[in-house]
Amino acid sequence: MMKAYLQNGLTQEVESIAEVDKNQFYILFLSDDFLGYIYPGIELIHTIQDKLVCIYDLIDDSYIIDKDVYLKEVEILPRILSSAGLGSVLGIDNDGVTNEMVERFFREFSQNKEYEEWRMNIPDLNKILFLNDIHSMIHSLQNVIESFDISFVDIYLSLAESADQLDFLDTGNMEEEEYRVSSAKARKVSYAIENYFIKANAILDYFCKLCFELEHRYEDFSEIPRLISRNKTYGNRKALHIQQKKHTIFEYDETIKLIGNIRNQVIHNG
């Protein structure tokens, strides 16, 4: 059996999606652990994620002349070097990767026949770390979109669960000095809604950053390039060629304005 959360806040046990009323919004959980779910419009999330996967290849094809050589370089490069930058789990940023560090690695392993190929094919470290940063940005955007989707489902789930336990009181009968304290359930709904708008605003920022990178061409890799988008947010969108393009997130409208306003209210005023 599967559980459907309906638009009116009620729940329904069903054996298949065919039993769900398609004339109203619903979220259908495919398992008891609430990890798998579908709802009308979820295809858009999947499409965005698929398109972002294509951006990885688009970026690589723009800067990599020979894919086989690039993959070979990445394979022989020490993990501590290749993982530096935005996506580093070792806490090493690009500024921390020095020529001395590279030379030390090559020197220490140069006597080992297994690493003899390094002396014949020294990787283009600067370009590799630059591409790592771009990949990390796209990966972060994918993660935020996934979190955004989960937040949306959490709001709906929290509201539906809370509705079963609410005691609707007539606030007109409250005494002058009477006050009420929000329940844990109510606060959970509030947190879910706040997180939803924070994630929505972060998605706008990340797409703006990505567009800056796609519109800019890096030519000099004598040093590791600093990403042009590093200090950019959605507020900098006017510098993009795509800004105000119809039917995109860069067409500033009331919905986009509302997302920013609520996010700022949550962050600055709680």
Side-chain angles (χ1 to χ4, degrees):
M1 295 291 288
M2 298 179 290
K3 194 170 187 178
Y5 286 76
L6 307 179
Q7 181 173 315
N8 56 10
L10 300 179
T11 60
Q12 177 184 3
E13 298 284 344
V14 297
E15 293 186 356
S16 71
I17 191 174
E19 299 178 37
V20 180
D21 182 6
K22 306 301 190 305
N23 294 320
Q24 63 171 312
F25 182 82
Y26 63 88
I27 297 179
L28 178 63
F29 289 94
L30 306 177
S31 58
D32 293 336
D33 56 16
F34 295 102
L35 296 179
Y37 53 83
I38 56 175
Y39 58 80
I42 196 173
E43 300 84 6
L44 178 60
I45 297 291
H46 297 161
T47 299
I48 293 173
Q49 296 286 34
D50 289 343
K51 295 298 183 182
L52 286 173
V53 171
C54 296
I55 298 296
Y56 285 103
D57 292 333
L58 178 64
I59 292 291
D60 288 352
D61 291 343
S62 298
Y63 292 98
I64 299 171
I65 298 176
D66 190 322
K67 267 288 185 66
D68 291 334
V69 171
Y70 170 75
L71 294 176
K72 197 173 186 180
E73 290 179 347
V74 172
E75 182 179 355
I76 67 174
L77 194 66
R79 180 62 60 86
I80 194 172
L81 295 181
S82 64
S83 64
L86 293 179
S88 176
V89 296
L90 301 174
I92 302 176
D93 59 18
N94 287 338
D95 292 335
V97 179
T98 63
N99 290 331
E100 291 76 13
M101 182 185 293
V102 177
E103 291 172 1
R104 177 170 60 84
F105 270 98
F106 278 86
R107 184 172 62 252
E108 290 181 358
F109 290 105
S110 63
Q111 305 303 317
N112 191 326
K113 291 184 177 180
E114 181 180 352
Y115 301 99
E116 184 175 357
E117 188 175 11
W118 284 14
R119 298 191 298 275
M120 302 170 57
N121 186 23
I122 299 177
D124 186 349
L125 181 63
N126 291 345
K127 183 175 289 187
I128 289 174
L129 293 181
F130 160 75
L131 290 173
N132 281 355
D133 280 352
I134 301 292
H135 292 172
S136 178
M137 178 191 302
I138 300 171
H139 183 63
S140 296
L141 174 54
Q142 290 177 302
N143 285 342
V144 173
I145 290 173
E146 183 178 0
S147 298
F148 169 78
D149 185 48
I150 293 173
S151 294
F152 168 70
V153 174
D154 280 347
I155 292 172
Y156 208 85
L157 190 60
S158 298
L159 285 172
E161 290 179 342
S162 299
D164 293 335
Q165 303 177 22
L166 289 178
D167 291 325
F168 294 99
L169 302 177
D170 182 4
T171 56
N173 294 329
M174 292 179 62
E175 298 294 335
E176 183 177 348
E177 296 182 358
E178 185 179 357
Y179 67 92
R180 296 207 176 104
V181 178
S182 297
S183 68
K185 284 284 186 181
R187 291 195 298 274
K188 182 179 178 182
V189 174
S190 176
Y191 298 153
I193 294 174
E194 291 171 1
N195 191 49
Y196 174 81
F197 283 99
I198 290 173
K199 298 299 183 186
N201 196 80
I203 289 173
L204 296 177
D205 288 342
Y206 268 114
F207 268 117
C208 189
K209 288 177 180 291
L210 184 56
C211 285
F212 270 104
E213 298 303 333
L214 292 172
E215 291 186 0
H216 183 74
R217 175 74 185 179
Y218 297 86
E219 301 291 350
D220 183 10
F221 289 94
S222 59
E223 296 180 349
I224 303 171
R226 287 184 174 275
L227 298 186
I228 191 175
S229 65
R230 63 186 181 277
N231 296 321
K232 299 294 191 295
T233 64
Y234 186 75
N236 302 112
R237 67 192 178 281
K238 292 183 179 179
L240 292 169
H241 298 311
I242 197 176
Q243 72 97 11
Q244 285 299 342
K245 187 173 180 62
K246 296 292 185 181
H247 309 303
T248 72
I249 60 172
F250 299 104
E251 183 182 12
Y252 193 65
D253 58 16
E254 289 303 314
T255 299
I256 299 294
K257 184 178 180 180
L258 180 64
I259 290 173
N261 288 343
I262 294 179
R263 177 266 179 195
N264 291 338
Q265 175 70 23
V266 170
I267 295 296
H268 300 297
N269 299 319

